[in-house]
């Protein structure tokens, strides 16, 4: 009854992981039975240094300190296996932002300030999580985030505007994502909350279309960060309503809207 009230005829594309596993199974059964093509929902969860109730690994900034991509690969593979065993298909990781401002409150989530080290650790993490094939019982979709430049917000305040031009973006902020997508074939990317030069990432055709899909050949889907669509009308004041914000995000390529 609750599912019918929430989703009804429109259905649902993905679900931020509910607990326990039995609940996820019940929801999945309902979703498959109540959509025209019988398509299952995609269950997603965090996975930066361990899956929810699973093994707790070192935070990414600590993992980066060992300078060993192979350990990052093994860590991601273990996280993926634990997540998949509970029905989760995708993890919201790795964070490939560069920690260029120590005041930013999420420094521990990333691999540091260096684009090369971040790129190598992120690439290893994606390969570990996705494995040789997603058609297995131990691999998941990896989703590099927060695309892009999120680690250098104004004043170090999370979600604040980022002030930089295309040269700095391409030289510093984008290479780690390029590694994960072009070499690691990551199948998802998270579009960040913030704006660059007045344009919210969720409505930026340069980043989401020209660069991501045309230049890099990205074949996966873009997911908006939690609340990023809402911010388009409440904070950026670019959209007139939630519906308008959704349309504006879909046009440049956001395929999954995470309100």
């Amino acid at each position: 009854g609750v599912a019918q009230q929430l989703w009804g005829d429109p259905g649902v594309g993905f679900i931020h992981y509910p607990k326990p596993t039995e609940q996820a199974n019940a929801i999945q059964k309902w979703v498959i039975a109540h959509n025209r093509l019988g398509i299952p929902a995609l269950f997603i969860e965090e996975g930066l240094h361990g899956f929810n109730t699973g093994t707790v690994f070192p935070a990414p900034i600590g993992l980066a300190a060992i300078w060993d991509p192979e350990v990052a690969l093994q860590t991601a593979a273990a996280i993926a296996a634990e997540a998949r065993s509970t029905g989760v298909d995708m993890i919201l990781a790795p964070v490939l932002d560069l920690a260029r401002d120590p005041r930013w409150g999420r420094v521990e989530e990333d691999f540091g300030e260096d684009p090369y080290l971040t790129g190598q650790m992120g690439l290893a993490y994606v390969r570990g999580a996705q494995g040789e094939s997603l058609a297995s019982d131990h691999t998941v979709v990896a989703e590099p985030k927060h695309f892009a430049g999120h680690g250098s917000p104004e004043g170090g305040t999370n979600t604040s505007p980022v002030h930089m031009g295309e040269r700095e973006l391409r030289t510093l902020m984008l290479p780690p994502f390029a590694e994960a997508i072009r070499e690691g074939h990551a199948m998802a990317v998270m579009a960040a909350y913030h704006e660059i030069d007045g344009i919210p990432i969720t409505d930026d055709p340069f980043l989401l279309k020209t660069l991501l899909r045309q230049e890099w050949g990205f074949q996966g889907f873009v997911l908006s960060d939690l609340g990023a669509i809402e911010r388009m009308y409440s904070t950026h004041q670019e959209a007139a309503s939630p519906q308008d914000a959704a349309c504006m995000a879909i046009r440049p390529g956001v395929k999954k809207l995470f309100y």
Side-chain angles (χ1 to χ4, degrees):
V2 174
Q4 182 64 43
Q5 181 180 2
L6 287 173
W7 304 317
D9 295 333
V12 59
F14 73 97
I15 300 171
H16 201 208
Y17 182 67
K19 303 183 286 290
T21 305
E22 291 75 15
Q23 184 184 32
N25 290 338
I27 292 173
Q28 191 68 279
K29 183 178 180 180
W30 187 93
V31 170
I32 292 173
H34 289 78
N35 72 75
R36 183 171 60 87
L37 299 177
I39 299 173
L42 190 69
F43 284 93
I44 65 176
E45 186 49 277
E46 304 292 347
L48 288 177
H49 63 96
F51 162 72
N52 205 347
T53 57
T55 305
V56 177
F57 294 94
I61 194 69
L63 186 62
I66 65 173
W67 294 67
D68 191 341
E70 180 61 28
V71 175
L73 185 149
Q74 294 175 13
T75 298
I79 293 171
E82 291 185 355
R84 193 63 181 270
S85 71
T86 68
V88 169
D89 313 287
M90 170 179 159
I91 53 175
L92 304 176
V95 169
L96 299 185
D97 301 314
L98 300 184
R100 311 291 286 193
D101 189 329
R103 297 172 297 179
W104 185 47
R106 305 178 69 169
V107 171
E108 78 280 359
E109 294 183 20
D110 61 32
F111 295 116
E113 76 278 10
D114 183 75
Y116 179 75
L117 177 61
T118 297
Q120 292 302 299
M121 298 298 279
L123 172 60
Y125 194 103
V126 169
R127 285 175 168 167
Q130 295 191 166
E132 295 296 324
S133 170
L134 291 172
S136 77
D137 62 357
H138 59 274
T139 55
V140 296
V141 172
E143 186 216 43
K145 61 181 186 180
H146 309 82
F147 190 73
H150 194 59
S152 296
E154 182 179 37
T157 304
N158 193 51
T159 77
S160 289
V162 172
H163 305 291
M164 65 179 65
E166 184 179 343
R167 184 186 68 81
E168 188 173 0
L169 268 174
R170 287 185 178 274
T171 303
L172 297 174
M173 304 300 171
L174 294 176
F177 286 96
E179 286 281 338
I181 291 163
R182 300 173 79 171
E183 302 297 327
H185 306 293
M187 291 307 295
V189 165
M190 178 179 283
Y193 296 110
H194 67 275
E195 62 184 55
I196 297 179
D197 197 22
I199 302 175
I201 301 299
T202 44
D203 185 29
D204 190 337
F206 166 70
L207 283 176
L208 301 182
K209 277 189 174 181
T210 303
L211 190 139
L212 190 59
R213 295 194 180 277
Q214 295 174 14
E215 290 190 23
W216 293 356
F218 178 60
Q219 296 295 311
F221 60 85
V222 176
L223 169 69
S224 62
D225 204 344
L226 179 59
I229 304 301
E230 185 270 340
R231 287 175 58 86
M232 291 177 69
Y233 60 89
S234 67
T235 302
H236 302 301
Q237 298 184 352
E238 183 184 52
S241 66
Q243 294 83 356
D244 189 31
C247 290
M248 294 177 72
I250 289 170
R251 290 189 191 107
V254 178
K255 299 301 183 185
K256 293 189 179 291
L257 307 181
F258 202 177
Y259 275 92

